[in-house]
PDB file of all heavy atoms in Angstrom:
ATOM      1  N   ARG B  10    -122.732  -2.513 107.524  1.00  0.00           N
ATOM      2  CA  ARG B  10    -121.750  -1.697 108.239  1.00  0.00           C
ATOM      3  C   ARG B  10    -121.606  -0.323 107.588  1.00  0.00           C
ATOM      4  O   ARG B  10    -121.439   0.685 108.270  1.00  0.00           O
ATOM      5  CB  ARG B  10    -120.403  -2.424 108.236  1.00  0.00           C
ATOM      6  CG  ARG B  10    -120.314  -3.603 109.182  1.00  0.00           C
ATOM      7  CD  ARG B  10    -119.958  -3.170 110.579  1.00  0.00           C
ATOM      8  NE  ARG B  10    -118.641  -2.574 110.615  1.00  0.00           N
ATOM      9  CZ  ARG B  10    -117.501  -3.248 110.759  1.00  0.00           C
ATOM     10  NH1 ARG B  10    -117.539  -4.555 110.892  1.00  0.00           N
ATOM     11  NH2 ARG B  10    -116.346  -2.631 110.790  1.00  0.00           N
ATOM     12  N   PHE B  11    -121.640  -0.291 106.257  1.00  0.00           N
ATOM     13  CA  PHE B  11    -121.483   0.997 105.581  1.00  0.00           C
ATOM     14  C   PHE B  11    -122.603   1.951 105.961  1.00  0.00           C
ATOM     15  O   PHE B  11    -122.362   3.110 106.274  1.00  0.00           O
ATOM     16  CB  PHE B  11    -121.453   0.812 104.061  1.00  0.00           C
ATOM     17  CG  PHE B  11    -121.456   2.125 103.325  1.00  0.00           C
ATOM     18  CD1 PHE B  11    -120.291   2.853 103.188  1.00  0.00           C
ATOM     19  CD2 PHE B  11    -122.645   2.654 102.819  1.00  0.00           C
ATOM     20  CE1 PHE B  11    -120.294   4.094 102.550  1.00  0.00           C
ATOM     21  CE2 PHE B  11    -122.656   3.880 102.175  1.00  0.00           C
ATOM     22  CZ  PHE B  11    -121.480   4.608 102.045  1.00  0.00           C
ATOM     23  N   VAL B  12    -123.851   1.494 105.909  1.00  0.00           N
ATOM     24  CA  VAL B  12    -124.994   2.349 106.244  1.00  0.00           C
ATOM     25  C   VAL B  12    -124.889   2.826 107.685  1.00  0.00           C
ATOM     26  O   VAL B  12    -125.091   4.013 107.989  1.00  0.00           O
ATOM     27  CB  VAL B  12    -126.322   1.610 106.019  1.00  0.00           C
ATOM     28  CG1 VAL B  12    -127.503   2.465 106.474  1.00  0.00           C
ATOM     29  CG2 VAL B  12    -126.482   1.243 104.549  1.00  0.00           C
ATOM     30  N   ALA B  13    -124.561   1.917 108.607  1.00  0.00           N
ATOM     31  CA  ALA B  13    -124.452   2.269 110.017  1.00  0.00           C
ATOM     32  C   ALA B  13    -123.406   3.346 110.239  1.00  0.00           C
ATOM     33  O   ALA B  13    -123.589   4.259 111.058  1.00  0.00           O
ATOM     34  CB  ALA B  13    -124.110   1.029 110.832  1.00  0.00           C
ATOM     35  N   ASP B  14    -122.299   3.268 109.513  1.00  0.00           N
ATOM     36  CA  ASP B  14    -121.199   4.209 109.700  1.00  0.00           C
ATOM     37  C   ASP B  14    -121.403   5.515 108.943  1.00  0.00           C
ATOM     38  O   ASP B  14    -120.973   6.577 109.385  1.00  0.00           O
ATOM     39  CB  ASP B  14    -119.888   3.558 109.262  1.00  0.00           C
ATOM     40  CG  ASP B  14    -118.701   4.051 110.069  1.00  0.00           C
ATOM     41  OD1 ASP B  14    -118.894   4.419 111.241  1.00  0.00           O
ATOM     42  OD2 ASP B  14    -117.584   4.058 109.526  1.00  0.00           O
ATOM     43  N   PHE B  15    -122.085   5.438 107.785  1.00  0.00           N
ATOM     44  CA  PHE B  15    -122.248   6.630 106.943  1.00  0.00           C
ATOM     45  C   PHE B  15    -123.345   7.563 107.461  1.00  0.00           C
ATOM     46  O   PHE B  15    -123.232   8.776 107.380  1.00  0.00           O
ATOM     47  CB  PHE B  15    -122.570   6.213 105.502  1.00  0.00           C
ATOM     48  CG  PHE B  15    -122.713   7.386 104.555  1.00  0.00           C
ATOM     49  CD1 PHE B  15    -121.600   8.079 104.122  1.00  0.00           C
ATOM     50  CD2 PHE B  15    -123.966   7.794 104.112  1.00  0.00           C
ATOM     51  CE1 PHE B  15    -121.726   9.164 103.264  1.00  0.00           C
ATOM     52  CE2 PHE B  15    -124.097   8.869 103.258  1.00  0.00           C
ATOM     53  CZ  PHE B  15    -122.976   9.557 102.831  1.00  0.00           C
ATOM     54  N   VAL B  16    -124.404   6.991 107.999  1.00  0.00           N
ATOM     55  CA  VAL B  16    -125.547   7.789 108.441  1.00  0.00           C
ATOM     56  C   VAL B  16    -125.466   8.017 109.947  1.00  0.00           C
ATOM     57  O   VAL B  16    -125.592   7.075 110.731  1.00  0.00           O
ATOM     58  CB  VAL B  16    -126.876   7.092 108.083  1.00  0.00           C
ATOM     59  CG1 VAL B  16    -128.059   7.918 108.566  1.00  0.00           C
ATOM     60  CG2 VAL B  16    -126.973   6.867 106.580  1.00  0.00           C
ATOM     61  N   GLY B  17    -125.238   9.257 110.349  1.00  0.00           N
ATOM     62  CA  GLY B  17    -125.185   9.592 111.764  1.00  0.00           C
ATOM     63  C   GLY B  17    -123.864   9.223 112.415  1.00  0.00           C
ATOM     64  O   GLY B  17    -122.962   8.654 111.802  1.00  0.00           O
ATOM     65  N   GLN B  18    -123.744   9.579 113.700  1.00  0.00           N
ATOM     66  CA  GLN B  18    -122.570   9.232 114.496  1.00  0.00           C
ATOM     67  C   GLN B  18    -122.757   7.841 115.099  1.00  0.00           C
ATOM     68  O   GLN B  18    -123.878   7.450 115.414  1.00  0.00           O
ATOM     69  CB  GLN B  18    -122.371  10.251 115.617  1.00  0.00           C
ATOM     70  CG  GLN B  18    -122.106  11.670 115.127  1.00  0.00           C
ATOM     71  CD  GLN B  18    -120.764  11.779 114.424  1.00  0.00           C
ATOM     72  OE1 GLN B  18    -119.777  11.205 114.854  1.00  0.00           O
ATOM     73  NE2 GLN B  18    -120.734  12.520 113.323  1.00  0.00           N
ATOM     74  N   SER B  19    -121.673   7.120 115.291  1.00  0.00           N
ATOM     75  CA  SER B  19    -121.804   5.771 115.847  1.00  0.00           C
ATOM     76  C   SER B  19    -120.560   5.374 116.625  1.00  0.00           C
ATOM     77  O   SER B  19    -119.463   5.890 116.387  1.00  0.00           O
ATOM     78  CB  SER B  19    -122.080   4.753 114.738  1.00  0.00           C
ATOM     79  OG  SER B  19    -121.100   4.843 113.723  1.00  0.00           O
ATOM     80  N   ASN B  20    -120.750   4.456 117.557  1.00  0.00           N
ATOM     81  CA  ASN B  20    -119.662   3.831 118.311  1.00  0.00           C
ATOM     82  C   ASN B  20    -119.500   2.389 117.840  1.00  0.00           C
ATOM     83  O   ASN B  20    -120.481   1.730 117.486  1.00  0.00           O
ATOM     84  CB  ASN B  20    -119.992   3.824 119.807  1.00  0.00           C
ATOM     85  CG  ASN B  20    -120.020   5.215 120.404  1.00  0.00           C
ATOM     86  OD1 ASN B  20    -119.004   5.902 120.474  1.00  0.00           O
ATOM     87  ND2 ASN B  20    -121.197   5.647 120.841  1.00  0.00           N
ATOM     88  N   TRP B  21    -118.251   1.892 117.863  1.00  0.00           N
ATOM     89  CA  TRP B  21    -117.964   0.540 117.385  1.00  0.00           C
ATOM     90  C   TRP B  21    -117.046  -0.216 118.342  1.00  0.00           C
ATOM     91  O   TRP B  21    -116.003  -0.722 117.944  1.00  0.00           O
ATOM     92  CB  TRP B  21    -117.315   0.603 115.997  1.00  0.00           C
ATOM     93  CG  TRP B  21    -118.210   1.112 114.918  1.00  0.00           C
ATOM     94  CD1 TRP B  21    -118.278   2.373 114.421  1.00  0.00           C
ATOM     95  CD2 TRP B  21    -119.182   0.355 114.202  1.00  0.00           C
ATOM     96  NE1 TRP B  21    -119.222   2.457 113.431  1.00  0.00           N
ATOM     97  CE2 TRP B  21    -119.800   1.231 113.270  1.00  0.00           C
ATOM     98  CE3 TRP B  21    -119.595  -0.979 114.249  1.00  0.00           C
ATOM     99  CZ2 TRP B  21    -120.799   0.818 112.403  1.00  0.00           C
ATOM    100  CZ3 TRP B  21    -120.592  -1.389 113.387  1.00  0.00           C
ATOM    101  CH2 TRP B  21    -121.183  -0.496 112.472  1.00  0.00           C
ATOM    102  N   PRO B  22    -117.400  -0.349 119.612  1.00  0.00           N
ATOM    103  CA  PRO B  22    -116.512  -1.076 120.529  1.00  0.00           C
ATOM    104  C   PRO B  22    -116.465  -2.569 120.206  1.00  0.00           C
ATOM    105  O   PRO B  22    -117.465  -3.154 119.785  1.00  0.00           O
ATOM    106  CB  PRO B  22    -117.157  -0.839 121.894  1.00  0.00           C
ATOM    107  CG  PRO B  22    -118.602  -0.598 121.588  1.00  0.00           C
ATOM    108  CD  PRO B  22    -118.613   0.139 120.290  1.00  0.00           C
ATOM    109  N   PRO B  23    -115.291  -3.209 120.422  1.00  0.00           N
ATOM    110  CA  PRO B  23    -115.192  -4.660 120.198  1.00  0.00           C
ATOM    111  C   PRO B  23    -115.895  -5.428 121.309  1.00  0.00           C
ATOM    112  O   PRO B  23    -115.826  -5.050 122.484  1.00  0.00           O
ATOM    113  CB  PRO B  23    -113.679  -4.903 120.231  1.00  0.00           C
ATOM    114  CG  PRO B  23    -113.138  -3.800 121.084  1.00  0.00           C
ATOM    115  CD  PRO B  23    -114.015  -2.608 120.831  1.00  0.00           C
ATOM    116  N   VAL B  24    -116.582  -6.499 120.935  1.00  0.00           N
ATOM    117  CA  VAL B  24    -117.269  -7.351 121.900  1.00  0.00           C
ATOM    118  C   VAL B  24    -116.994  -8.805 121.553  1.00  0.00           C
ATOM    119  O   VAL B  24    -116.466  -9.120 120.481  1.00  0.00           O
ATOM    120  CB  VAL B  24    -118.798  -7.097 121.913  1.00  0.00           C
ATOM    121  CG1 VAL B  24    -119.109  -5.680 122.385  1.00  0.00           C
ATOM    122  CG2 VAL B  24    -119.408  -7.364 120.545  1.00  0.00           C
ATOM    123  N   THR B  25    -117.386  -9.686 122.484  1.00  0.00           N
ATOM    124  CA  THR B  25    -117.254 -11.125 122.266  1.00  0.00           C
ATOM    125  C   THR B  25    -118.619 -11.774 122.450  1.00  0.00           C
ATOM    126  O   THR B  25    -119.313 -11.512 123.436  1.00  0.00           O
ATOM    127  CB  THR B  25    -116.267 -11.737 123.263  1.00  0.00           C
ATOM    128  OG1 THR B  25    -114.984 -11.116 123.098  1.00  0.00           O
ATOM    129  CG2 THR B  25    -116.126 -13.237 123.036  1.00  0.00           C
ATOM    130  N   VAL B  26    -118.999 -12.609 121.490  1.00  0.00           N
ATOM    131  CA  VAL B  26    -120.220 -13.410 121.619  1.00  0.00           C
ATOM    132  C   VAL B  26    -119.805 -14.781 122.155  1.00  0.00           C
ATOM    133  O   VAL B  26    -119.037 -15.500 121.506  1.00  0.00           O
ATOM    134  CB  VAL B  26    -120.952 -13.561 120.275  1.00  0.00           C
ATOM    135  CG1 VAL B  26    -122.247 -14.343 120.468  1.00  0.00           C
ATOM    136  CG2 VAL B  26    -121.245 -12.202 119.655  1.00  0.00           C
ATOM    137  N   ARG B  27    -120.290 -15.111 123.350  1.00  0.00           N
ATOM    138  CA  ARG B  27    -119.927 -16.390 123.969  1.00  0.00           C
ATOM    139  C   ARG B  27    -120.667 -17.548 123.293  1.00  0.00           C
ATOM    140  O   ARG B  27    -121.611 -17.343 122.522  1.00  0.00           O
ATOM    141  CB  ARG B  27    -120.267 -16.360 125.462  1.00  0.00           C
ATOM    142  CG  ARG B  27    -119.540 -15.255 126.214  1.00  0.00           C
ATOM    143  CD  ARG B  27    -119.693 -15.375 127.719  1.00  0.00           C
ATOM    144  NE  ARG B  27    -121.046 -15.688 128.170  1.00  0.00           N
ATOM    145  CZ  ARG B  27    -121.649 -15.099 129.203  1.00  0.00           C
ATOM    146  NH1 ARG B  27    -121.038 -14.131 129.874  1.00  0.00           N
ATOM    147  NH2 ARG B  27    -122.864 -15.484 129.571  1.00  0.00           N
ATOM    148  N   ASP B  28    -120.243 -18.758 123.617  1.00  0.00           N
ATOM    149  CA  ASP B  28    -120.886 -19.954 123.056  1.00  0.00           C
ATOM    150  C   ASP B  28    -122.355 -20.050 123.444  1.00  0.00           C
ATOM    151  O   ASP B  28    -123.164 -20.630 122.702  1.00  0.00           O
ATOM    152  CB  ASP B  28    -120.155 -21.218 123.515  1.00  0.00           C
ATOM    153  CG  ASP B  28    -118.773 -21.343 122.884  1.00  0.00           C
ATOM    154  OD1 ASP B  28    -118.562 -20.730 121.811  1.00  0.00           O
ATOM    155  OD2 ASP B  28    -117.914 -22.029 123.462  1.00  0.00           O
ATOM    156  N   ASP B  29    -122.708 -19.473 124.595  1.00  0.00           N
ATOM    157  CA  ASP B  29    -124.114 -19.510 125.018  1.00  0.00           C
ATOM    158  C   ASP B  29    -124.938 -18.378 124.418  1.00  0.00           C
ATOM    159  O   ASP B  29    -126.112 -18.208 124.743  1.00  0.00           O
ATOM    160  CB  ASP B  29    -124.221 -19.486 126.549  1.00  0.00           C
ATOM    161  CG  ASP B  29    -123.654 -18.200 127.164  1.00  0.00           C
ATOM    162  OD1 ASP B  29    -123.202 -17.315 126.394  1.00  0.00           O
ATOM    163  OD2 ASP B  29    -123.662 -18.076 128.407  1.00  0.00           O
ATOM    164  N   GLY B  30    -124.320 -17.564 123.523  1.00  0.00           N
ATOM    165  CA  GLY B  30    -125.035 -16.479 122.854  1.00  0.00           C
ATOM    166  C   GLY B  30    -125.005 -15.165 123.586  1.00  0.00           C
ATOM    167  O   GLY B  30    -125.436 -14.135 123.029  1.00  0.00           O
ATOM    168  N   LYS B  31    -124.496 -15.124 124.797  1.00  0.00           N
ATOM    169  CA  LYS B  31    -124.396 -13.877 125.555  1.00  0.00           C
ATOM    170  C   LYS B  31    -123.270 -13.010 124.998  1.00  0.00           C
ATOM    171  O   LYS B  31    -122.269 -13.520 124.473  1.00  0.00           O
ATOM    172  CB  LYS B  31    -124.151 -14.154 127.036  1.00  0.00           C
ATOM    173  CG  LYS B  31    -125.216 -15.034 127.697  1.00  0.00           C
ATOM    174  CD  LYS B  31    -126.574 -14.364 127.733  1.00  0.00           C
ATOM    175  CE  LYS B  31    -127.581 -15.205 128.504  1.00  0.00           C
ATOM    176  NZ  LYS B  31    -128.923 -14.587 128.513  1.00  0.00           N
ATOM    177  N   VAL B  32    -123.436 -11.695 125.128  1.00  0.00           N
ATOM    178  CA  VAL B  32    -122.466 -10.749 124.581  1.00  0.00           C
ATOM    179  C   VAL B  32    -121.721 -10.078 125.724  1.00  0.00           C
ATOM    180  O   VAL B  32    -122.335  -9.610 126.689  1.00  0.00           O
ATOM    181  CB  VAL B  32    -123.164  -9.691 123.698  1.00  0.00           C
ATOM    182  CG1 VAL B  32    -122.144  -8.684 123.166  1.00  0.00           C
ATOM    183  CG2 VAL B  32    -123.896 -10.362 122.544  1.00  0.00           C
ATOM    184  N   GLU B  33    -120.397  -9.981 125.595  1.00  0.00           N
ATOM    185  CA  GLU B  33    -119.580  -9.338 126.617  1.00  0.00           C
ATOM    186  C   GLU B  33    -118.840  -8.140 126.044  1.00  0.00           C
ATOM    187  O   GLU B  33    -118.255  -8.222 124.960  1.00  0.00           O
ATOM    188  CB  GLU B  33    -118.563 -10.321 127.191  1.00  0.00           C
ATOM    189  CG  GLU B  33    -119.158 -11.358 128.122  1.00  0.00           C
ATOM    190  CD  GLU B  33    -118.086 -12.178 128.824  1.00  0.00           C
ATOM    191  OE1 GLU B  33    -116.888 -11.963 128.543  1.00  0.00           O
ATOM    192  OE2 GLU B  33    -118.453 -13.036 129.653  1.00  0.00           O
ATOM    193  N   LEU B  34    -118.874  -7.044 126.772  1.00  0.00           N
ATOM    194  CA  LEU B  34    -118.114  -5.837 126.465  1.00  0.00           C
ATOM    195  C   LEU B  34    -117.169  -5.588 127.634  1.00  0.00           C
ATOM    196  O   LEU B  34    -117.624  -5.368 128.759  1.00  0.00           O
ATOM    197  CB  LEU B  34    -119.050  -4.643 126.261  1.00  0.00           C
ATOM    198  CG  LEU B  34    -118.396  -3.258 126.184  1.00  0.00           C
ATOM    199  CD1 LEU B  34    -117.458  -3.168 124.982  1.00  0.00           C
ATOM    200  CD2 LEU B  34    -119.457  -2.162 126.094  1.00  0.00           C
TER     201      LEU B  34
END
């Protein structure tokens, strides 16, 4: 997380990983 945030601009929206492995935003 530190590298991702320190180098370049980034977005960090909250998401949910379902039991079937799918990701929801």
Side-chain angles (χ1 to χ4, degrees):
R10 285 276 296 274
F11 173 80
V12 176
D14 212 29
F15 182 74
V16 179
Q18 298 293 319
S19 54
N20 293 294
W21 293 98
V24 296
T25 300
V26 183
R27 301 190 316 224
D28 290 337
D29 63 1
K31 303 295 185 182
V32 178
E33 286 188 357
L34 169 63

